[in-house]
Amino acid sequence: MNITVYLGANEGFDPTLKESVIQLGEWIGKSGNTLIYGGSKSGLMGELAVSALSNSAKVIGVEPQFFVDECLQLDGLTELIITKDMSERKNKMIELGDVFIAFPGGTGTLEEISEIMSKVSLGMICSPCIVYSLNNYYSGLKELLIHMIELGLSSEDRQKGIYFADNLDEIIAIIKESDK
């Protein structure tokens, strides 16, 4: 299956981010899945891709032309898809994905996973949207989604398919359950 992962091009200050993203890449490769990601060699994105490639995964990077012009793409990818801009990149990553995971990242990661959550809630995507809340990174987002339900601005029905996971084992369990 194609696993689209959204995450930062920075490494962050917490060493568990790097360790956990490497474990995610290892699992994607060892389980015979394909990684779809933003194509960068930088930060957590690069660590994830190198880890997946090192564990025999097919890795497809989707990189906008302006990042390629800055030589930010990772060499050695199975495939590099170059898009004209970020909007086309997001659409291509959605088109290719069977499962969507948001690893801790910055505002770009938040924007990308927000679009997936919206499409899930509208029934436009039936794939699981997994928010990897490593070390409670996305606890505020989880609280916000609950608050939306409490205020009648969303519903549990609308949020079916949006999952929060604290570790890789929970991610694997969500994917296995949704694959039935």
Side-chain angles (χ1 to χ4, degrees):
M1 96 181 32
N2 288 348
I3 300 177
T4 298
V5 179
Y6 302 107
L7 69 169
N10 292 320
E11 207 166 288
F13 301 125
D14 181 350
T16 61
L17 293 172
K18 181 176 176 180
E19 294 165 14
S20 297
V21 86
I22 289 170
Q23 290 172 354
L24 178 60
E26 287 174 2
W27 173 76
I28 290 171
K30 288 178 180 176
S31 61
N33 293 304
T34 297
L35 170 64
I36 310 297
Y37 89 114
S40 179
K41 64 184 176 185
S42 304
L44 296 172
M45 291 175 72
E47 295 289 347
L48 174 66
V50 168
S51 175
L53 286 166
S54 298
N55 286 279
S56 304
K58 182 178 173 185
V59 177
I60 300 172
V62 184
E63 189 89 271
Q65 183 64 55
F66 67 90
F67 283 156
V68 173
D69 293 344
E70 295 177 29
C71 298
L72 296 175
Q73 74 279 5
L74 180 67
D75 293 328
L77 296 172
T78 309
E79 182 180 356
L80 177 64
I81 299 171
I82 300 173
T83 63
K84 67 179 184 211
D85 56 28
M86 294 295 278
S87 293
E88 188 178 297
R89 175 200 209 185
K90 275 193 321 181
N91 289 332
K92 180 52 85 172
M93 291 175 73
I94 291 169
E95 175 189 320
L96 295 172
D98 299 313
V99 171
F100 301 90
I101 299 173
F103 195 83
T107 54
T109 302
L110 180 61
E111 187 259 340
E112 290 166 324
I113 203 61
S114 293
E115 182 166 348
I116 300 300
M117 288 190 290
S118 179
K119 288 181 182 288
V120 165
S121 73
L122 294 170
M124 299 170 70
I125 294 177
C126 296
S127 304
C129 170
I130 304 169
V131 181
Y132 191 170
S133 193
L134 179 67
N135 298 331
N136 294 309
Y137 186 80
Y138 287 110
S139 61
L141 178 59
K142 185 175 185 178
E143 288 174 24
L144 178 60
L145 291 177
I146 292 167
H147 189 60
M148 289 175 182
I149 293 169
E150 291 170 347
L151 291 178
L153 299 171
S154 185
S155 67
E156 287 183 23
D157 242 18
R158 285 281 177 125
Q159 292 185 22
K160 279 186 185 164
I162 301 171
Y163 304 92
F164 284 81
D166 295 327
N167 55 58
L168 182 56
D169 289 337
E170 289 180 12
I171 290 172
I172 294 167
I174 292 165
I175 291 171
K176 285 182 180 179
E177 182 63 31
S178 68
D179 201 31
K180 288 182 181 178

